[in-house]
Amino acid sequence: MSQNELVLKTIFGELSFGVTAKEGDLSNGKIVSVNLEPMIPEGMEVEDSIVVLLRVNSSTDIKNLNFTCTWNNTIEEGGACTGQFLDAWEWEKDNHLLLIGTEDEEILGSRLGTKYLSQSPVTMGSKGFEIHIKTFPKDRELTLHYVVSSNGLPEKEDCSCWFAVDVAHKRVLEACE
């Protein structure tokens, strides 16, 4: 599936992914989703693992780009479960667990360059995530991602979903080719 907006059906309802910018040409921007075979420690398993990738290459400088992941329905408040190089949020309901993860400020700054990031590029809340890029040069591809993973509770091995959403960006790009 490829478009400027994407809706993903999950065990807890629908997630919408979208991109906006105050300046810049997003007309060739695409948001794609693919099933991703998780690379998790032996003995761990997850029921579902999906990567959502934004690709855009603007003919003009981009300013104030937001790549959002939001719930379309009301959902109980989740909780942060971040780690090194990972910003993640989790929700539990009816013996199920769902995690959404993305790159944290440190790895985004390393990959894209800190001069392009806003002060807090990843914000999380009960309705979802937002990745904010302050500025990005024209004629250079910008890629950002989210990984959505779910499992039944109790997990066969604790933290299986957490490991499943902790995916290197290079692997995301390879999976989406």
Side-chain angles (χ1 to χ4, degrees), residues 109-149:
S110 173
R111 188 170 65 79
L112 300 177
T114 55
K115 66 183 177 183
Y116 301 125
L117 303 182
S118 63
Q119 190 169 6
S120 296
V122 180
T123 55
M124 300 180 289
S126 61
K127 290 297 283 179
F129 277 91
E130 183 174 290
I131 303 171
H132 180 78
I133 305 299
K134 179 175 64 177
T135 182
F136 203 76
K138 67 180 181 178
D139 301 324
R140 184 172 156 204
E141 185 176 61
L142 172 63
T143 56
L144 303 168
H145 78 264
Y146 293 103
V147 180
V148 180
S149 183

Side-chain angles (χ1 to χ4, degrees), residues 10-23:
T10 76
I11 58 172
F12 293 159
E14 292 183 345
L15 284 167
S16 286
F17 298 85
V19 62
T20 59
K22 291 213 174 170
E23 293 180 30

Side-chain angles (χ1 to χ4, degrees), residues 3-4 19 24-30 55-59:
Q3 53 198 22
N4 282 325
V19 62
D25 178 13
L26 302 182
S27 63
N28 73 351
K30 293 182 178 170
R55 285 184 186 266
V56 66
N57 192 337
S58 177
S59 59

Side-chain angles (χ1 to χ4, degrees), residues 10 25 27 53 59 79 87 93 97 100 109 149 152 166:
T10 76
D25 178 13
S27 63
L53 175 71
S59 59
D87 277 333
K93 180 180 173 187
L97 172 67
I100 302 170
S149 183
D166 189 13

Side-chain angles (χ1 to χ4, degrees), residues 53-81:
L53 175 71
L54 165 68
R55 285 184 186 266
V56 66
N57 192 337
S58 177
S59 59
T60 60
D61 288 347
I62 295 173
K63 296 212 184 316
N64 295 312
L65 179 134
N66 292 308
F67 181 35
T68 58
C69 166
T70 55
W71 290 102
N72 289 347
N73 50 288
T74 302
I75 189 162
E76 293 180 26
E77 191 164 331
C81 57

Side-chain angles (χ1 to χ4, degrees), residues 154-167:
E155 287 187 294
K156 180 179 173 182
E157 293 289 331
D158 281 347
C159 300
S160 296
C161 274
W162 186 87
F163 278 98
V165 300
D166 189 13
V167 179

